Amino acid sequence: MPSINWNLLGLSVEDWTIATLVTLSGFLILSNIIRYLSKRLAVITGRTTNKLDDVAVDMLAHTNRFILFLIALLIAFSLLDLPKKWEARIDHGWIIVIGMQVALWLNFGINVWMRSYMDRATTTTIVFLMRLIIWATLLLAILANVGINITAFVTSLGIGGIAVALSLQNILSDLFASLSISLDKPFEIGDFIVVTDLVGTVEYIGVKTTRIRSLSGEQIIISNTELLKRIIHNFKRMAERRALFTFKIRYDTPPTQVAALPDIVKTIIGKIAGTRFDRAHFKQFGDNALEFEVVYYVLNPDYNFYMDVQQQVNLDLMQACSQHQIAFFHPA
């Protein structure tokens, strides 16, 4: 019986049969190796406090199965006695497949890392830019390794990039300002901030703008670039509030009562919970009255709590002065 002698793409039936069997076997072996290593490394990294190794294990566990199949296919063809034209194609295939898997690992790792350490509103921009860099680098590496001269291509991209950057200067400025907010975190969503004449709570931090809900209820939208040019007062991060106030008494108050007033104020403030007394002094002789200056700290940064404390201090001071027959100054 005559033997069948045919080939496909320069390979005989025997070559294709061997390649198929080696590919399937290699795919199963590689899949099991990845699964085993992922489980073993997960047990080891679970005993450590470092988060970076956890991300690395997750990256390994998310190895693309189609990439594994392509690797097994390349291994199978590497074992065959192939024509020279196939050898160059297999070398290029290794570069493309390994490069794609590394890019997928980095893409997944960046996504997990950013979401773990940054708020959801600002992570998208950084992840997008880093993904763009990874895939652009992979594309250039593949083009260079397959024999394409990328020098002129990169040069044209640089010139085109400069032209685009000039035309999109304001947008790019806001974009980098958004990245600065994401990394430096001068404020976060929910923080109460004061920026020049803007007072309110941060509701949203976007790629181009930040939205602030003012005390009067309206939403204020300001570009990130303009926002970072101003001085930002972040009251959400205030640990305690320093309070300073003054009051005046009449000139005809006896010196002994004037001398007793700082201790009276100290006693009043010391009785109020959530405060820390700092000082109270007869500051100066005013034009029409004796002037006192008092400083204390409110241990709760909430503004309403501060006003409640100040109101209580004022009421207790009025009562104490009335008991000691000390009259406040008031214009005639």
Side-chain angles (χ1 to χ4, degrees):
M1 185 179 207
S3 60
I4 299 175
N5 186 15
W6 63 273
N7 62 70
L8 178 63
L9 299 178
L11 298 177
S12 65
V13 146
E14 290 81 2
D15 291 334
W16 282 108
T17 303
I18 294 172
T20 302
L21 294 176
V22 172
T23 299
L24 295 177
S25 302
F27 174 72
L28 293 175
I29 293 172
L30 289 174
S31 298
N32 288 324
I33 289 175
I34 294 296
R35 189 180 299 109
Y36 174 77
L37 289 176
S38 299
K39 291 181 179 179
R40 291 295 299 171
L41 292 176
V43 173
I44 296 173
T45 57
R47 302 168 185 167
T48 65
T49 58
N50 188 4
K51 298 297 182 182
L52 188 59
D53 53 6
D54 296 332
V55 175
V57 172
D58 287 339
M59 290 167 57
L60 180 63
H62 284 77
T63 301
N64 190 280
R65 295 179 66 82
F66 181 68
I67 297 292
L68 288 180
F69 177 80
L70 293 179
I71 292 174
L73 185 62
L74 290 172
I75 293 174
F77 280 115
S78 299
L79 298 176
L80 300 177
D81 186 14
L82 301 174
K84 290 185 178 181
K85 64 179 182 179
W86 276 86
E87 294 179 0
R89 294 173 183 174
I90 291 176
D91 291 339
H92 295 159
W94 277 111
I95 295 170
I96 295 172
V97 170
I98 297 300
M100 288 184 63
Q101 183 56 67
V102 171
L104 290 173
W105 277 336
L106 293 176
N107 182 70
F108 178 80
I110 288 171
N111 194 30
V112 172
W113 185 261
M114 290 296 177
R115 289 176 184 268
S116 300
Y117 285 88
M118 295 187 180
D119 56 88
R120 189 174 181 180
T122 56
T123 301
T124 305
T125 303
I126 300 177
V127 170
F128 171 76
L129 290 177
M130 299 191 75
R131 283 176 176 172
L132 183 62
I133 293 172
I134 289 172
W135 289 107
T137 303
L138 173 63
L139 176 61
L140 293 177
I142 291 174
L143 292 177
N145 281 279
V146 298
I148 298 176
N149 186 2
I150 64 171
T151 304
F153 178 66
V154 173
T155 303
S156 62
L157 283 180
I159 297 174
I162 294 173
V164 172
L166 290 175
S167 62
L168 301 177
Q169 184 175 1
N170 291 334
I171 296 177
L172 291 175
S173 177
D174 288 327
L175 175 61
F176 284 112
S178 174
L179 292 178
S180 177
I181 294 173
S182 301
L183 298 173
D184 196 40
K185 294 186 180 296
F187 54 83
E188 297 176 346
I189 293 176
D191 287 2
F192 183 82
I193 64 174
V194 175
V195 186
T196 314
D197 56 339
L198 303 179
V199 180
T201 303
V202 178
E203 283 192 339
Y204 175 79
I205 304 172
V207 175
K208 182 173 175 57
T209 61
T210 293
R211 300 171 191 175
I212 301 172
R213 181 68 61 181
S214 71
L215 292 177
S216 54
E218 74 272 16
Q219 188 181 72
I220 301 171
I221 302 174
I222 182 172
S223 71
N224 294 324
T225 303
E226 291 298 321
L227 185 60
L228 291 184
K229 287 180 181 178
R230 308 183 186 185
I231 297 176
I232 301 172
H233 300 267
N234 193 333
F235 286 90
K236 180 70 175 293
R237 299 176 184 176
M238 179 188 295
E240 58 185 20
R241 184 184 295 269
R242 182 177 183 268
L244 182 150
F245 73 95
T246 61
F247 64 94
K248 301 176 182 180
I249 63 174
R250 292 173 51 172
Y251 258 108
D252 58 0
T253 305
T256 54
Q257 292 179 323
V258 173
L261 259 180
D263 289 334
I264 293 174
V265 174
K266 180 178 180 180
T267 301
I268 290 172
I269 296 175
K271 291 180 179 179
I272 301 176
T275 63
R276 185 177 75 252
F277 177 79
D278 185 28
R279 61 181 179 84
H281 293 96
F282 170 31
K283 182 181 178 181
Q284 63 184 8
F285 296 95
D287 293 336
N288 300 300
L290 305 177
E291 298 182 6
F292 282 78
E293 183 177 82
V294 181
V295 176
Y296 67 96
Y297 289 89
V298 180
L299 305 183
N300 187 331
D302 182 70
Y303 186 77
N304 289 334
F305 181 81
Y306 154 69
M307 288 304 299
D308 290 340
V309 170
Q310 185 61 55
Q311 175 178 263
Q312 189 62 47
V313 170
N314 292 338
L315 293 174
D316 291 348
L317 181 60
M318 289 180 63
Q319 184 176 5
C321 288
S322 176
Q323 292 175 353
H324 291 79
Q325 297 181 347
I326 299 173
F328 289 105
F329 166 79
H330 59 84

